[in-house]
Amino acid sequence: MRTKAWFMGHPVHPMLIGFPITFLSAALVLDAAGMIADRPAWWTVGAWSAAAGVISGLVAAAPGIVDYLGAVPPGSSAKKRATYHMVVNVTALVLFVIGWWIRGEAAARPGWVVVALELAANGLMSVGGYMGGTLVYRNMMGVDHRYAEKTKWSEQTVKAAAGEMVEVCEAGELKPDQMRLLHVNGQRIVLANTGEGYCAFQDRCTHRGASLADGVLICGRVQCLWHGSRFDVKSGECERGPAEEGLKTYAVEERNGKVWLRTPGDGNG
Ligand code: FES
């Protein structure tokens, strides 16, 4: 699924998370070692490392929130995972802030309570990191798996009254086997050129909510990338699980060199 916060095509959130992870784990090591060896210089550096970790963590969170709101498919297992990922990591930052508040100033001896908070925060960060990894490797958040121009990512917002035929593109705009994610009155609909004509169907995979616009379209079938369910894009029928339910489809017409979509009624497709 293409990221919404990118730099030269690369997702920004994973580029930045190395900073808080480094600073916050260094803070724990320096504070604990400083306490054991009774070295004020070590825990002072630990305190500043904790501060740098919290600040860089907040900076790294910003593109993460952009992707959370704009890229993770709504109502999917990835959305749930991303929510836990966010809550766990924010809690880790809050524990570091509480640790700073307890110690009062950078040069002050942190004490074992602060070290324990930092240890717990690092544990939470590891859990959050595991979930972040799953979002990338399993849910393909920020992964661009497309090849050549055939399936280049494409997205468009369409506004029209419910039940109206609305022009969505020129007939030659999408290449055969190319899809476009349409946001139609708050609903996510995939417009697809099967090579034998256009059709439209719901974006949400009926298994765990992956975006089918991010899947692979071939021979009039779309395959979900998360667990491999396959659907006939014209009838919406589910041909291969683990999904059990078919997809909602929408009326599409080609007229005068243009493609028209009948917009879904409020919330009922
Ligand atoms: S979300 Fe599991 S197959 Fe689509």
Side-chain angles (χ1 to χ4, degrees):
M1 190 82 208
R2 202 169 101 155
T3 173
K4 297 278 184 186
W6 49 270
F7 177 70
M8 294 176 76
H10 295 275
V12 176
H13 182 59
M15 284 184 207
L16 297 180
I17 53 174
F19 293 98
I21 290 172
T22 306
F23 284 128
L24 296 176
S25 49
L28 169 64
V29 171
L30 287 163
D31 282 343
M35 289 276 292
I36 292 165
D38 198 23
R39 298 284 193 103
W42 292 4
W43 70 58
T44 303
V45 177
W48 290 120
S49 187
V54 170
I55 292 166
S56 57
L58 292 173
V59 172
I65 290 170
V66 170
D67 278 345
Y68 177 78
L69 296 174
V72 184
S76 67
S77 57
K79 195 75 166 186
K80 214 186 272 179
R81 185 171 289 123
T83 305
Y84 294 146
H85 168 74
M86 182 169 59
V87 169
V88 161
N89 285 325
V90 168
T91 307
L93 293 184
V94 168
L95 291 184
F96 267 98
V97 171
I98 293 172
W100 240 98
W101 179 72
I102 291 173
R103 81 160 94 196
E105 56 173 320
R109 191 182 178 83
W112 289 113
V113 172
V114 171
V115 173
L117 285 173
E118 291 177 347
L119 183 64
N122 271 275
L124 286 174
M125 266 194 330
S126 304
V127 174
Y130 174 82
M131 289 190 273
T134 309
L135 282 164
V136 174
Y137 298 117
R138 160 60 79 187
N139 300 130
M140 305 187 83
M141 288 299 117
V143 174
D144 191 354
H145 59 84
R146 289 158 196 277
Y147 53 95
E149 289 210 330
K150 197 177 178 191
T151 53
K152 210 168 173 181
W153 179 260
S154 157
E155 202 165 341
Q156 180 185 337
T157 300
V158 176
K159 282 200 171 29
E164 245 183 36
M165 286 306 275
V166 61
E167 183 192 321
V168 281
C169 71
E170 302 285 332
E173 217 170 305
L174 296 187
K175 295 181 170 63
D177 293 340
Q178 192 172 9
M179 298 183 277
R180 173 173 290 173
L181 175 60
L182 303 177
H183 298 271
V184 187
N185 301 333
Q187 296 193 42
R188 293 163 65 107
I189 294 176
V190 184
L191 180 70
N193 181 355
T194 62
E196 292 177 353
Y198 279 83
C199 58
F201 53 92
Q202 73 180 62
D203 178 51
R204 189 180 188 281
C205 175
T206 54
H207 180 225
R208 289 197 185 156
S211 167
L212 292 171
D214 196 39
V216 174
L217 176 67
I218 195 157
C219 298
R221 272 90 184 149
V222 66
Q223 181 140 22
C224 176
L225 291 188
W226 286 7
H227 313 98
S229 294
R230 194 174 63 215
F231 304 90
D232 181 311
V233 293
K234 281 220 164 94
S235 65
E237 185 195 338
C238 176
E239 293 184 339
R240 202 182 90 172
E244 291 176 353
E245 243 178 84
L247 303 175
K248 252 180 231 166
T249 58
Y250 302 89
V252 173
E253 272 176 28
E254 278 184 64
R255 232 189 302 138
N256 306 326
K258 311 220 183 269
V259 180
W260 301 75
L261 168 82
R262 184 170 300 286
T263 58
D266 291 341
N268 59 15

